[in-house]
């Protein structure tokens, strides 16, 4: 290629162009607005008049802002769920049913262990309320306090002092043991009564718990003396029973043959062999029906009370502990086969001399885990040891957390089963600080200060049986005589005639074979999200995904390349100035052989330098170096030798 054509090509390559290779940001933006499919941007450039151009700028910016707002809403609500409820009609598995007598141990078997505690309890009741027929309140109080002074050696009252507070008095209280008023320096924690009084209570009863060194104490007061006495009795009862071996406690509780008089399930007879025993510390021996003991789960194909579980329970009210329990009957829990029955939390009480019918409806729930919710599928991401050897559930997690805190802070586990590995029952002989520690932890647990509520979340899948309870008098007066006689004969080991207050009838059945499934599913998908975003782009800016790619190319790739190119040229100029000599020499005078048309620089000229170059010649100009004048000088000797070449002398 000729030298002139090369110069033209280099100049043309660096002249301003309209398009992605524009030399400035302004030219690039102008080219984009004229060629894009988003009509608002084009109207900004081609509109005449400042007002119209300003309006189109406002319209375009508003549309862009609305697009960002709508897209942000779509993305923020992406992890939402839709709930579907399905109703199925099919053969249903019968749940596990756990039955416990409200009274954990036969009173005749444990009375010798609780004799001293009961003596002090009766004395405290006489001190507080009085059992005599004395009508004068002042005489009764004087007699009560004087009798209390005689028992100054009371072990249990020394351990946990019972106190009586006058109305509005919190700094002083009357000690049950001494009958004298003393200062109370512990903080007052009031527990409201579960009985609503129609009159204003004058006194409050409570007890004081202190740590080992008595440096910190807490006084728990109750607006009802019944609750105060029962709670005080329960603490000492737990201490005493914690020192008895498990084998002895099982023997002191009710056997399956004693508790279960008759059994009938799905039209077939059953007996105590269909029940599995487990020992609960507060309810003694409990028995579970359909506990998958043979790796099979019983099912029912017909709904109604005739095809469920029917049992008659022997309650034996005469063997009830008068201070531990105040009601008569049994507790029933319906649960899954692999689930631990928390009788104290979710148990349903049934009455004596009544037929209790419990109709069930099954509901299965399936929730989506993270990122849709914080539910837990298993124990994998839970920082709590599962001490119940059961699948994850919120209740098991909370109880495990509380037991772990008891082991950590109090040195022992709460009076419940099963226990963590290596932990012991809480009793005062082994852990003198456990009562104070337990109440402190329990208070913190109720108020959510232990952190268990933040760690334990709801299970993602669970079964729930909705129970509907109805009662009927049982047995009826006309059938009472023969029915009780036959049941007495059936219970051959019982040496007394049964009364209807000793018995309770229980019926548990499916109302019908319909069960609901509540299933969560993702409300959005990636395809729906992209479709919604595309709809917003088309609505507000009349553009598509190609326009988005074009915007990315122009505003991010081309703009950055222009900025980078300008910065590169600035850096080169700065480097050239830095390398220049502080006293630059004068440029050499042009020689005859220097032809600007032939001075071809290897570097591409910039836009500015290209405009300063002279126009290229029309035709190729060959180089014509100047003559070498020194070659034209003739030697004198050579002139003499050749004729006709002499130089005439100057005149």
């Amino acid at each position: 290629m000729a030298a002139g054509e090369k110069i033209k090509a280099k100049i043309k390559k660096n002249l301003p162009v309209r398009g992605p290779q524009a030399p400035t940001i302004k030219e690039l933006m102008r080219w984009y607005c004229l060629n894009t499919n988003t009509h608002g941007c084009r109207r900004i450039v081609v509109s005449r008049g400042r007002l119209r151009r300003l309006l189109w700028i406002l319209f375009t910016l508003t549309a862009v802002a609305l697009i960002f707002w709508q897209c942000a809403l779509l993305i923020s609500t992406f992890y939402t769920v839709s709930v579907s409820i399905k109703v199925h009609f099919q053969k249903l598995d019968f749940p596990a049913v756990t039955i416990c007598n409200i009274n954990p141990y036969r009173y005749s078997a444990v009375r010798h262990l609780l004799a001293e505690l009961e003596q002090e309890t009766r004395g405290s009741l006489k001190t507080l309320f009085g059992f005599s027929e004395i009508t004068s309140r002042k005489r009764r109080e004087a007699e009560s306090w004087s009798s209390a002074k005689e028992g100054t050696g009371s072990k249990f009252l020394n351990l946990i002092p019972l106190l009586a507070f006058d109305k509005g008095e919190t700094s002083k209280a009357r000690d049950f043991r001494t009958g004298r008023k003393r200062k109370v320096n512990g903080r007052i924690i009031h527990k409201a009564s579960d009985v609503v009084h129609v009159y204003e209570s004058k006194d409050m009863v409570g007890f004081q718990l202190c740590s080992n060194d008595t440096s910190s104490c807490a006084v728990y007061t109750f607006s009802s003396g019944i609750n105060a006495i029962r709670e005080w009795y329960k603490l000492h009862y737990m201490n005493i029973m914690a020192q008895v071996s498990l084998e002895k406690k099982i023997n002191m509780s009710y056997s399956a043959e004693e508790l279960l008089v008759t059994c009938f399930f799905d039209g077939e007879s059953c007996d105590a062999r269909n029940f599995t025993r487990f020992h609960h510390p507060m309810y003694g021996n409990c028995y579970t029906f359909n506990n998958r003991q043979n790796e099979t789960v019983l099912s029912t194909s017909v709904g109604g009370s005739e095809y469920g579980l029917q049992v008659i329970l022997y309650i034996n009210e005469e063997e009830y502990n008068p201070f531990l329990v105040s009601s008569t009957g049994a507790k029933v829990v319906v649960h899954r086969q692999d689930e631990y029955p928390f009788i104290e939390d979710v148990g349903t009480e049934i009455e004596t001399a009544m037929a209790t019918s419990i109709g069930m409806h099954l509901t299965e729930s399936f929730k989506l885990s993270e990122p849709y919710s914080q539910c837990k599928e298993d124990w994998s991401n839970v920082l709590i040891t599962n001490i119940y050897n059961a699948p994850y559930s919120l209740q098991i997690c909370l109880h495990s957390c509380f037991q772990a805190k008891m082991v950590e802070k109090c040195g022992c586990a709460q009076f419940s089963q099963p226990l963590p590995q290596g932990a012991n029952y809480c009793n005062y002989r082994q852990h003198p600080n456990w009562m104070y520690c337990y109440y402190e932890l329990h208070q913190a647990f109720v108020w959510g200060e232990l952190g268990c509520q933040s760690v334990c979340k709801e299970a993602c899948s669970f079964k729930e049986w909705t129970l509907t309870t109805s009662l009927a008098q049982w047995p009826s007066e006309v059938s009472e005589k023969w029915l009780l006689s036959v049941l007495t004969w059936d219970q051959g080991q019982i040496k007394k005639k049964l009364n209807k207050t000793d018995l309770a009838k229980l019926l548990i059945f499916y109302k019908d074979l319909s069960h609901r499934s509540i299933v969560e599913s993702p409300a959005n998908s990636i395809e729906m999200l992209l479709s919604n975003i595309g709809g917003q782009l088309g609505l507000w800016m009349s553009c598509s995904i190609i326009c988005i790619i074009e915007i990315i190319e122009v505003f991010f790739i081309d703009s950055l390349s222009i900025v980078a190119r300008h910065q590169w040229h600035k850096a080169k100029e700065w480097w050239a100035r830095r390398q220049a000599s502080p006293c630059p020499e004068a440029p050499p005078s042009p020689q005859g052989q220097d032809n600007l048309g032939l001075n071809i620089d290897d570097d591409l000229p910039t836009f500015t330098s290209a405009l300063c170059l002279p126009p290229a010649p029309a035709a190729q100009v060959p180089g014509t170096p100047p003559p070498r004048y020194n070659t034209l000088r003739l030697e004198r000797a050579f002139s003499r030798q050749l004729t006709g070449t002499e130089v005439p002398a100057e005149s």
Side-chain angles (χ1 to χ4, degrees):
M1 182 183 291
E5 296 297 329
K6 290 183 179 180
I7 295 175
K8 286 182 179 181
K10 292 182 179 180
I11 294 175
K12 184 177 181 180
K13 187 176 181 181
N14 291 272
L15 285 176
V17 294
R18 298 184 181 275
Q21 302 299 325
T24 62
I25 298 292
K26 181 179 180 181
E27 291 292 333
L28 179 65
M29 294 298 105
R30 181 177 180 83
W31 172 85
Y32 168 75
C33 292
L34 291 174
N35 292 274
T36 185
N37 288 330
T38 54
H39 305 299
C41 297
R42 182 180 179 85
R43 297 300 303 174
I44 294 175
V45 176
V46 302
S47 295
R48 296 183 178 180
R50 293 183 179 181
L51 179 60
R52 184 174 297 181
R53 185 173 299 176
L54 178 62
L55 289 176
W56 277 108
I57 291 175
L58 293 177
F59 292 155
T60 304
L61 293 179
T62 303
V64 171
L66 289 174
I67 288 176
F68 278 106
W69 176 51
Q70 293 292 332
C71 292
L73 290 179
L74 291 174
I75 295 174
S76 63
T77 59
F78 179 76
Y79 291 111
T80 56
V81 298
S82 61
V83 180
S84 61
I85 301 177
K86 301 179 181 179
V87 180
H88 308 273
F89 296 89
Q90 61 185 21
K91 186 178 181 179
L92 296 178
D93 291 337
F94 201 79
V97 179
T98 298
I99 304 173
C100 304
N101 197 324
I102 290 180
N103 185 55
Y105 305 104
R106 296 189 303 273
Y107 188 59
S108 59
V110 299
R111 190 169 186 175
H112 65 285
L113 299 174
L114 307 174
E116 189 175 355
L117 174 60
E118 289 189 359
Q119 182 180 359
E120 293 192 26
T121 304
R122 295 181 188 276
S124 299
L125 288 172
K126 187 176 181 181
T127 300
L128 180 61
F129 302 106
F131 290 112
S132 63
E133 298 296 328
I134 302 176
T135 57
S136 174
R137 176 180 175 87
K138 292 184 178 180
R139 279 186 61 189
R140 186 171 68 245
E141 289 182 352
E143 181 179 330
S144 300
W145 293 119
S146 62
S147 61
K149 293 179 182 179
E150 297 176 359
T152 54
S154 301
K155 177 176 64 175
F156 299 102
L157 287 174
N158 285 335
L159 192 62
I160 305 178
L162 274 170
L163 306 173
F165 293 82
D166 294 333
K167 180 183 177 182
E169 187 73 35
T170 57
S171 60
K172 292 183 180 181
R174 189 178 297 274
D175 195 325
F176 274 43
R177 182 174 58 86
T178 61
R180 299 177 180 176
K181 284 193 175 183
R182 68 174 189 175
K183 292 184 178 181
V184 178
N185 53 6
R187 52 194 178 91
I188 304 297
I189 301 175
H190 180 67
K191 292 179 175 288
S193 170
D194 57 359
V195 180
V196 179
H197 296 280
V198 297
Y199 58 89
E200 187 177 3
S201 177
K202 294 183 179 180
D203 302 329
M204 288 190 304
V205 183
F207 52 82
Q208 186 179 37
L209 289 175
C210 299
S211 58
N212 289 341
D213 53 1
T214 66
S215 59
S216 57
C217 296
V219 178
Y220 295 85
T221 62
F222 303 80
S223 56
S224 172
I226 296 175
N227 292 344
I229 295 297
R230 284 193 59 195
E231 194 72 15
W232 179 84
Y233 180 91
K234 182 180 176 181
L235 284 175
H236 294 296
Y237 167 84
M238 292 168 62
N239 271 330
I240 295 173
M241 297 308 298
Q243 302 168 29
V244 181
S245 64
L246 179 60
E247 183 180 358
K248 289 183 179 180
K249 287 188 287 189
I250 292 176
N251 294 331
M252 290 186 296
S253 187
Y254 300 91
S255 63
E257 292 77 10
E258 186 178 3
L259 179 64
L260 303 166
V261 180
T262 64
C263 178
F264 200 73
F265 175 74
D266 200 15
E268 297 181 0
S269 179
C270 54
D271 54 24
R273 292 172 295 182
N274 299 97
F275 290 80
T276 304
R277 183 195 69 205
F278 83 96
H279 188 81
H280 192 279
M282 293 306 300
Y283 291 94
N285 292 341
C286 298
Y287 298 92
T288 303
F289 176 78
N290 193 25
N291 197 26
R292 197 187 289 175
Q293 54 183 349
N294 297 324
E295 298 298 328
T296 58
V297 177
L298 300 176
S299 60
T300 179
S301 57
V302 182
S305 59
E306 295 296 327
Y307 299 94
L309 176 65
Q310 303 180 30
V311 293
I312 296 178
L313 305 176
Y314 177 54
I315 303 301
N316 196 6
E317 187 178 4
E318 291 183 358
E319 290 287 352
Y320 268 46
N321 188 326
F323 300 110
L324 185 64
V325 293
S326 57
S327 58
T328 305
K331 269 201 169 184
V332 180
V333 179
V334 178
H335 57 94
R336 295 191 315 183
Q337 280 74 19
D338 56 358
E339 186 178 11
Y340 184 84
F342 291 97
I343 305 163
E344 65 275 21
D345 296 338
V346 295
T348 301
E349 293 187 354
I350 61 175
E351 302 180 41
T352 57
M354 288 286 180
T356 304
S357 298
I358 301 178
M360 300 183 298
H361 271 299
L362 174 61
T363 301
E364 293 182 284
S365 299
F366 302 93
K367 301 185 65 177
L368 294 175
S369 58
E370 293 182 352
Y372 294 94
S373 68
Q374 296 182 347
C375 69
K376 302 293 183 180
E377 296 180 353
D378 48 34
W379 291 91
S380 57
N381 297 324
V382 182
L383 303 178
I384 294 176
T385 304
N386 179 15
I387 67 174
Y388 292 92
N389 193 24
Y392 179 85
S393 68
L394 176 61
Q395 208 165 24
I396 289 179
C397 181
L398 291 175
H399 280 263
S400 298
C401 178
F402 185 75
Q403 295 283 1
K405 296 295 183 180
M406 285 287 295
V407 175
E408 176 186 353
K409 297 183 179 297
C410 304
C412 61
Q414 188 191 3
F415 190 69
S416 63
Q417 283 186 326
L419 294 175
Q421 191 70 22
N424 299 317
Y425 282 130
C426 283
N427 64 81
Y428 198 82
R429 290 187 179 180
Q430 296 179 2
H431 308 280
N433 196 40
W434 91 264
M435 292 185 182
Y436 175 79
C437 183
Y438 166 75
Y439 262 82
E440 289 290 301
L441 283 180
H442 188 269
Q443 195 73 16
F445 178 77
V446 170
W447 290 99
E449 297 175 356
L450 289 183
C452 296
Q453 284 80 357
S454 60
V455 177
C456 299
K457 303 298 180 181
E458 188 179 7
C460 292
S461 61
F462 56 90
K463 291 182 178 181
E464 183 180 14
W465 284 270
T466 304
L467 307 181
T468 304
T469 304
S470 60
L471 300 175
Q473 185 178 354
W474 180 88
S476 63
E477 293 183 2
V478 296
S479 61
E480 177 180 348
K481 185 175 181 180
W482 76 267
L483 193 148
L484 293 178
S485 299
V486 173
L487 291 177
T488 303
W489 181 81
D490 289 341
Q491 294 294 93
Q493 74 274 15
I494 299 177
K495 299 180 180 180
K496 70 167 188 174
K497 184 178 180 180
L498 296 178
N499 298 318
K500 64 178 183 180
T501 55
D502 294 327
L503 301 174
K505 186 176 182 180
L506 173 65
L507 297 91
I508 300 180
F509 56 92
Y510 279 112
K511 285 188 172 183
D512 51 53
L513 296 183
S514 64
H515 76 278
R516 296 187 307 170
S517 296
I518 302 176
V519 182
E520 289 185 352
S521 58
N524 301 305
S525 61
I526 297 296
E527 294 80 6
M528 293 179 61
L529 178 64
L530 294 178
S531 177
N532 292 332
I533 292 177
Q536 296 297 326
L537 292 174
L539 175 64
W540 299 108
M541 292 290 291
S542 68
C543 63
S544 62
I545 190 64
I546 301 300
C547 297
I548 300 300
I549 298 175
E550 185 182 68
I551 291 173
I552 295 175
E553 179 189 14
V554 171
F555 285 87
F556 293 96
I557 299 177
D558 295 337
S559 298
L560 291 178
S561 64
I562 291 175
V563 173
R565 186 166 62 245
H566 286 185
Q567 295 297 325
W568 171 250
H569 287 305
K570 288 183 180 180
K572 286 181 63 177
E573 293 176 1
W574 174 81
W575 181 255
R577 289 194 301 269
R578 185 174 181 180
Q579 295 296 327
S581 174
C583 297
E585 298 178 356
S589 58
Q591 300 292 333
Q593 69 273 16
D594 294 333
N595 191 341
L596 296 178
L598 296 178
N599 188 15
I600 301 174
D601 191 6
D602 291 335
D603 293 333
L604 295 176
T606 63
F607 176 74
T608 306
S609 61
L611 296 178
C612 297
L613 291 176
Q620 181 179 4
V621 181
T624 54
R628 300 179 63 183
Y629 293 99
N630 53 357
T631 60
L632 299 178
R633 297 174 183 176
L634 300 177
E635 296 293 337
R636 193 181 294 262
F638 183 73
S639 301
R640 286 195 298 266
Q641 293 176 1
L642 297 176
T643 60
T645 60
E646 294 87 354
V647 179
E650 298 178 358
S651 57

